[in-house]
Amino acid sequence: MDDTFPFFRADHTMNDTATVFNQHVAARPTGGSTQAAPPVRHVCVVGGGTAGWMTALMLATTAYGPRLKVTVLESPQVGIIGVGEGSTPWLRGFFDGLGIEESEWMPACNATYKSGITFEGWSTKPGFERYFHPFASMLDNMTMHQFVDNVHARLEGADVDAHPDRFFVAAALARQGRGPRAHRNFPFDIWYGYHFDATLLGQFLAAKAVERGVQHLQRHVTQVLLNEGGDIDRLQLDDGETLAADFFVDCTGFASLLIGKALQTPFISYAENLFNDAAIAMPTPLNGAIESQTVSTALRHGWAWKIPLTNRHGNGYVYSSAHCSADEAETELRRHLGLLDADVPARHLKMRVGRMEKQWSRNCVAVGLSQGFIEPLEATALLFVQRTAAALVDALEAGDLGPAAQQRFNDGMRTRFENTRDYIVAHYKTNSRTDTDYWRANADNMQLSDSLQGVLMTWMSRKPLAAGLRQGRFGGGYPIVSWYALLAGMGIFPDARDLQTPTAHQARHRLDAVDDFVSRSALNFPDHRELLADIPPRVGDKTLQLYLW
């Protein structure tokens, strides 16, 4: 498979996953200084929370330093949704770029490590009722080819093991309750994300931002005032004063106070192929081991999340209100958690799934829920915040806020939203449940992009995905390992009754050797709870780059 499936190559040719690693290592903000004057003098971030304060921190550490004034205008009347308690590995790059150690921010936010996501009950195919989506590891170089070869052998009708859980160290760490940071004498990096209390994370970032020179103003916006050219001129505040700035960042959540209401930017809904529009959140006590994984369990009209923090489990149910009522959904979640008779409060939330037609309009960029939202199945909300804020920083440091820069920015954001949407839709499209109208409608959904159709058609024609992904013909935004883990994990193979004894070539890989490698590698990683009690300093960027090459 060397010619068709490069994962991490020995030469300097970058593939999808390695590129993401490099972007992580070189993640914004970079700091530094420049003699050029900033293209704007004052940026006002409207709205706090994780999105607002993350953006403010990145703006406060641009190459312009204190010459770029940053103000966060936070309304004391608006609460923080704070449902998302999981991240992708990109968040690691955010803290590394700021020089903030995990040992500082993680205990302050009741945070834990995340090796990946387990999906339960999405497939009814025997042997594939559960699978794990791993984050990438350099150790996967030793087992990835065997996995992909077995996948294609099984697609051809050979009775070989092609379930992803067997082939990845991250899956073993999650099963065994180990943390994804190896002991010092094992110099291999696992790419990992985090679980955290979103409210506490917002508070931590706020304190850091103020330390680094961000101005914090607690006022409620009553009106957005435009100038004669249609740009945002200033904000009318509840105390009668106004606040002017050169540039504005809309972090007002689903309200989209600036980008949506004031600038009248159209919203593009994804409801035709992402049906979920509501959620319920409910905590439960933490007992026993702390798993380094998010668990996503399919229920009757959506899916339930289970996220371990150091002090509790965060739980919730993401569902379609067109298929069940809020009361029905809450009852189902309580039954799932064993809380039917327990006096545990539930938070009900509505979601607007889709994106703004433009995330940058005039002198305003939307970040977070105000720019758009794709349901939390793959924990991409903070990833969009980070990438959008980084793209804004890049534009500011380039000194170009003109129409061409705005177009590039908006085109990039549109592509990222659509790529992420496609990967999420693939989970629903490939489900094999038939117990409710909800799951049947998802499986029957034909509102698929050309890109997603390309992925599925290539898979069903038993051809490797690598070339199409690498050339950008389909499936952008997610690395090869993610697509293979999803489609193989859901059991998208010929029926087990039709499988044949493999040929010698199809059965050429010794899976006992794979098992031995994965199990022995996992021994080098500590118990998750022990790791959280003594978090070591972060690995330097130079070491990570050596791993890549």
Side-chain angles (χ1 to χ4, degrees):
M1 295 296 295
D2 287 352
D3 292 333
T4 58
F5 192 88
F7 185 57
F8 289 116
R9 296 178 54 164
D11 60 20
H12 285 202
T13 300
M14 301 296 289
N15 56 69
D16 290 343
T17 306
T19 299
V20 173
F21 262 94
N22 254 17
Q23 289 171 330
H24 154 71
V25 170
R28 288 289 183 184
T30 59
S33 62
T34 178
Q35 298 303 312
V40 294
R41 299 287 184 178
H42 183 197
V43 178
C44 178
V45 179
V46 183
T50 307
W53 289 110
M54 178 180 281
T55 303
L57 264 171
M58 296 179 78
L59 290 169
T61 49
T62 67
Y64 298 114
R67 287 177 294 158
L68 179 65
K69 180 181 177 181
V70 181
T71 299
V72 172
L73 180 63
E74 189 174 31
S75 173
Q77 301 178 24
V78 178
I80 297 172
I81 291 180
V83 170
E85 293 178 332
S87 84
T88 67
W90 279 75
L91 189 60
R92 176 179 167 186
F94 170 77
F95 283 109
D96 283 355
L98 289 170
I100 299 174
E101 292 284 354
E102 292 176 349
S103 57
E104 179 182 3
W105 81 264
M106 289 183 68
C109 302
N110 297 331
T112 64
Y113 290 98
K114 176 181 174 183
S115 300
I117 307 171
T118 283
F119 291 89
E120 291 230 24
W122 290 70
S123 171
T124 61
K125 298 185 177 182
F128 296 92
E129 299 90 347
R130 173 189 177 106
Y131 80 92
F132 182 79
H133 176 194
F135 294 140
S137 162
M138 289 305 300
L139 296 167
D140 298 339
N141 283 318
M142 305 299 293
T143 57
M144 190 70 184
H145 289 269
Q146 295 92 316
F147 170 54
V148 174
D149 285 347
N150 275 25
V151 164
H152 286 288
R154 193 175 180 100
L155 285 170
E156 293 166 0
D159 188 7
V160 296
D161 190 351
H163 194 292
D165 289 16
R166 188 171 187 174
F167 295 86
F168 297 102
V169 173
L173 301 183
R175 285 195 303 270
Q176 298 173 21
R178 297 178 183 270
R181 295 195 60 179
H183 297 301
R184 183 172 177 81
N185 62 339
F186 191 69
F188 296 96
D189 189 52
I190 294 279
W191 212 30
Y192 56 79
Y194 307 97
H195 306 114
F196 49 85
D197 184 311
T199 300
L200 293 179
L201 180 60
Q203 294 170 358
F204 178 89
L205 296 176
K208 281 293 178 183
V210 171
E211 282 179 13
R212 299 186 183 197
V214 173
Q215 303 297 307
H216 184 200
L217 184 62
Q218 291 187 303
R219 294 287 189 278
H220 185 70
V221 177
T222 59
Q223 189 177 2
V224 180
L225 304 172
L226 307 182
N227 61 25
E228 293 181 357
D231 289 345
I232 298 174
D233 183 58
R234 61 195 188 280
L235 307 173
Q236 183 72 51
L237 307 181
D238 54 359
D239 60 359
E241 296 184 359
T242 61
L243 176 66
D246 305 310
F247 200 91
F248 295 83
V249 179
D250 187 344
C251 294
T252 61
F254 287 134
S256 297
L257 185 62
L258 278 64
I259 197 88
K261 292 180 180 177
L263 297 181
Q264 296 292 298
T265 305
F267 179 78
I268 298 174
S269 174
Y270 288 163
E272 66 179 6
N273 47 28
L274 287 173
F275 302 156
N276 296 338
D277 61 353
I280 307 168
M282 190 179 301
T284 56
L286 178 71
N287 298 310
I290 301 178
E291 296 182 331
S292 60
Q293 64 175 337
T294 297
V295 178
S296 166
T297 303
L299 299 182
R300 287 176 53 79
H301 308 290
W303 58 274
W305 75 78
K306 180 182 179 183
I307 291 177
L309 304 182
T310 57
N311 64 328
R312 64 177 172 88
H313 275 114
N315 306 280
Y317 185 10
V318 179
Y319 66 96
S320 165
S321 64
H323 293 85
C324 73
S325 69
D327 287 343
E328 289 170 335
E330 181 175 337
T331 299
E332 186 179 7
L333 177 60
R334 288 185 179 276
R335 184 180 296 111
H336 171 69
L337 297 174
L339 298 176
L340 271 177
D341 300 320
D343 186 21
V344 179
R347 293 182 62 201
H348 287 260
L349 303 155
K350 295 294 292 183
M351 304 186 304
R352 184 180 66 172
V353 178
R355 64 174 177 85
M356 286 293 176
E357 185 178 73
K358 298 178 181 178
Q359 274 85 54
W360 185 345
S361 178
R362 296 186 175 273
N363 63 335
C364 177
V365 163
V367 179
L369 299 179
S370 60
Q371 71 178 127
F373 180 68
I374 296 177
E375 67 152 84
L377 186 62
E378 289 281 348
T380 56
L382 280 190
L383 173 60
F384 275 108
V385 170
Q386 190 175 345
R387 283 177 163 175
T388 307
L392 175 58
V393 168
D394 286 344
L396 286 168
E397 290 188 338
D400 182 7
L401 304 184
Q406 294 184 32
Q407 187 65 49
R408 288 192 300 271
F409 182 100
N410 287 322
D411 288 346
M413 289 300 115
R414 173 183 50 78
T415 298
R416 285 171 175 160
F417 264 93
E418 291 178 355
N419 287 343
T420 302
R421 176 203 61 196
D422 287 350
Y423 189 69
I424 300 299
V425 170
H427 292 72
Y428 292 99
K429 177 63 180 175
T430 57
N431 95 85
S432 52
R433 294 176 63 116
T434 58
D435 54 322
T436 63
D437 288 342
Y438 171 85
W439 290 108
R440 290 190 293 270
N442 273 290
D444 293 341
N445 178 29
M446 298 305 295
Q447 300 297 320
L448 309 178
S449 71
D450 291 342
S451 175
L452 181 52
Q453 290 183 54
V455 171
L456 299 178
M457 290 174 63
T458 301
W459 182 274
M460 298 308 293
S461 64
R462 305 176 183 181
K463 297 177 181 177
L465 298 177
L469 292 170
R470 193 167 57 245
Q471 295 165 11
R473 289 190 282 111
F474 52 65
Y478 278 81
I480 297 169
V481 61
S482 294
W483 283 108
Y484 272 81
L486 164 59
L487 297 172
M490 295 287 273
I492 312 302
F493 294 115
D495 192 282
R497 294 170 296 183
D498 300 326
L499 296 177
Q500 303 293 320
T501 301
T503 66
H505 179 74
Q506 291 170 329
R508 66 190 180 277
H509 294 302
R510 288 187 51 196
L511 297 192
D512 60 336
V514 170
D515 295 340
D516 181 66
F517 176 80
V518 169
S519 62
R520 290 170 64 187
S521 294
L523 294 175
N524 293 279
F525 293 81
D527 174 82
H528 192 190
R529 191 182 290 273
E530 292 177 3
L531 174 60
L532 293 168
D534 187 18
I535 298 173
R538 63 193 176 98
V539 178
D541 294 348
K542 186 176 295 185
T543 305
L544 282 176
Q545 289 174 332
L546 288 174
Y547 290 167
L548 288 179
W549 301 115

